[in-house]
Amino acid sequence: MAATATYEYSVRDRAGKVVTGKIEADSQAAVASKLKSMGYAPMKITEQRSNGLKTEIELPKLGAPVKLKELSIFSRQFATMINAGLSMLRALSILEEQQPNKKFALVIGEIRARVEAGSSLSVSMAEHPRFFPPLMVNMIRAGEVGGFLDKVLVQIADNYEAEVKLRGKVKSAMTYPVAVLVMAVVLCTGMLLFVVPTFAGLFDSLHGTLPLPTRVLVTLSNILKVGFIPITLLTIIGFVVWMRVRHREGVRNVVDPMKLKLPIFGALFQKIALARFCRNLGTMLSSGVPILQSLDIVADTSGNVVVAKAVREIQDSVRKGESLTEPLSQHSVFPSMVVQMLAVGEDTGALDHMLGKIAEFYDEEVNTMTEQMTALIEPIMIAVLGGLVGSMIVALYMPIFSIFDLIGGQTK
């Protein structure tokens, strides 16, 4: 028998918390396999030797996560090759060679090596949580057990393609107003810094009393000249801090409910969250993933803490053997139509199919709403931009009407 050794490990549980401990095993690979079978994601495994020295074996941490579009293409090509009769190792080799993302290609190569060494595909992917989300890993695990891996890969590709399309719609709706807003800020800042001071010097030389709008504009210009650098630095620091803390639970508990209450945009955020929840849950259930495990994963992928809390309550209800849809009616984020359709799907045994229909409905709702918002926001933003610049120009030229009287008064 092979000699056993004591290993210290650091893992993440399903809630994302770091757990540490010790375990005895034959090798580091055996430790990693056992930890993953317990539902943990290994981060660091260290062999503790008798002489007190430690040999550290750390799982690689590679760059930024892969894009959803790249995962979709990977899944689609993988499914096509498996369905065509290619072996899994051969398919992974081809995917590694043709992957333009070098970091992703390196990860695929590591997965191929682990599969060649006897590890399953899902276990190998679970070692790289930054590249393969839990939803994808669990669906592949279900496909491996059920013997329909190619179908699961197609479902994953369809799911991520729909998600990419949904994000694209939202981005396209927000691009124009954001661009106009940036243009308005740049124009106003430029006028306050460079144009207004020129007129202010002319007005001061005439020693006249300026109209109130002009005095306000000159005051703003003086404040901006002094505080431009501090304001710019504070804006950059605020943006960096926000990007770091926006995903923290305490921040999301405050921001996410507010997002759903915003006028116009609140309804859009709600529809996006519902579409994502229904699509992900339906895809996992149709792939054979157990419902409790599916709900646990979907709660973290909904994108809104309000929906996530509701899903947790659904999970508790199902765990007790109660109805899936009963807790939904207690949350206003789920419209009655969704509750009733899911109740019918639960009664007829076609819950995954009904979830897919709801996701398609809200995808169309998001598409229609973004088009309407774009059509409505464009003239509003143009009017706002024109109003800002026009007001500044009027405020600058109001004293011009009395400038000849001031000049005449000086010549007498």
Side-chain angles (χ1 to χ4, degrees), residues 93-113:
S93 297
I94 295 173
L95 289 169
E96 179 187 2
E97 292 173 0
Q98 67 181 24
Q99 177 56 241
N101 186 334
K102 300 302 181 183
K103 295 179 179 179
F104 193 24
L106 181 60
V107 170
I108 296 173
E110 293 179 5
I111 291 172
R112 180 188 57 77

Side-chain angles (χ1 to χ4, degrees), residues 66-84 88 91-92 94-96 98-100 104 108 111 121 125 131-133 135-141 148-162 164 283 287:
V66 67
K67 296 180 180 178
L68 282 180
K69 186 175 182 180
E70 292 174 323
L71 281 179
S72 174
I73 296 173
F74 168 82
S75 301
R76 182 78 65 187
Q77 293 176 340
F78 200 179
T80 302
M81 287 185 280
I82 294 295
N83 195 34
M88 186 180 298
L92 288 170
I94 295 173
L95 289 169
E96 179 187 2
Q98 67 181 24
Q99 177 56 241
F104 193 24
I108 296 173
I111 291 172
L121 179 63
M125 286 182 169
F131 287 83
F132 299 101
L135 183 144
M136 182 176 184
V137 173
N138 283 275
M139 287 180 63
I140 288 177
R141 182 178 292 119
F148 46 88
L149 181 60
D150 55 337
K151 294 181 180 179
V152 167
L153 287 167
V154 171
Q155 289 178 327
I156 293 172
D158 291 339
N159 183 74
Y160 284 142
E161 284 172 0
V164 170
T283 302
S287 301

Side-chain angles (χ1 to χ4, degrees), residues 387-410:
L388 285 173
V389 178
S391 299
M392 295 178 71
I393 293 175
V394 170
L396 286 175
Y397 278 90
M398 285 180 68
I400 299 297
F401 300 130
S402 57
I403 194 171
F404 294 106
D405 295 334
L406 294 173
I407 294 174
Q410 289 183 353

